Amino acid sequence: MAKTSAIAKQRQRERTVARYAERRAALKEAVRRAEPGSDELAEAVAALGRLPRDASPVRLRNRDQSDGRPRGYLRKAGLSRITFRRMAHRGELPGITKSSW
C-alpha cells in the first residue's frame, strides 16, 4: 500500500492537470504555429513556463486503483502486478484464467 500522502498528492496533480489542460493546449498550439525567432513564440514559451509544474501531464503517475502502488502497473487492468495476481487467483477478474502448459 502506498503512503496516503503520495496518493493525495497524485490526486491533486490530476486536478491541476485538468484545470490547466485547455490553457496549456492553446499555448502549445501557439508555440507550434509561431514563426521561429518571433515575439509570438517567445511570449507563448514564457507563458508556458509560468504555468505550474504540476500542470504538465508528464508529471502524473499510473497507480494501482485499489491500493495506490506506483510500480508494476498493468494498464489493461488498472492494477499493480501484485493486486492483479491476487484478484485473478480469487476469480475476481472476468476473463482472466491462470495458464498452464
Side-chain angles (χ1 to χ4, degrees):
M1 175 101 183
K3 289 171 43 177
T4 308
S5 61
I7 295 170
K9 185 65 176 171
Q10 174 71 11
R11 288 194 185 121
Q12 178 62 36
R13 277 192 197 106
E14 289 169 359
R15 287 192 296 270
T16 304
V17 167
R19 185 180 319 129
Y20 287 96
E22 195 173 311
R23 190 180 316 173
R24 186 174 175 79
L27 288 171
K28 287 184 76 80
E29 183 63 23
V31 168
R32 192 180 69 77
R33 290 178 182 251
E35 293 291 323
S38 67
D39 290 336
E40 272 182 53
L41 178 64
E43 288 173 17
V45 169
L48 262 175
R50 285 191 298 271
L51 291 179
R53 285 187 178 183
D54 283 346
S56 173
V58 171
R59 293 176 69 97
L60 294 178
R61 179 84 190 221
N62 289 328
R63 289 185 174 271
D64 185 327
Q65 291 176 353
S66 64
D67 65 1
R69 188 176 203 280
R71 297 189 181 217
Y73 179 81
L74 303 172
R75 283 179 188 258
K76 192 170 185 178
L79 303 169
S80 70
R81 61 186 174 80
I82 297 166
T83 307
F84 180 85
R85 186 169 189 267
R86 184 177 48 225
M87 290 177 75
H89 282 300
R90 283 194 226 145
E92 296 174 359
L93 299 174
I96 305 296
T97 57
K98 187 174 186 304
S99 65
S100 61
W101 57 93

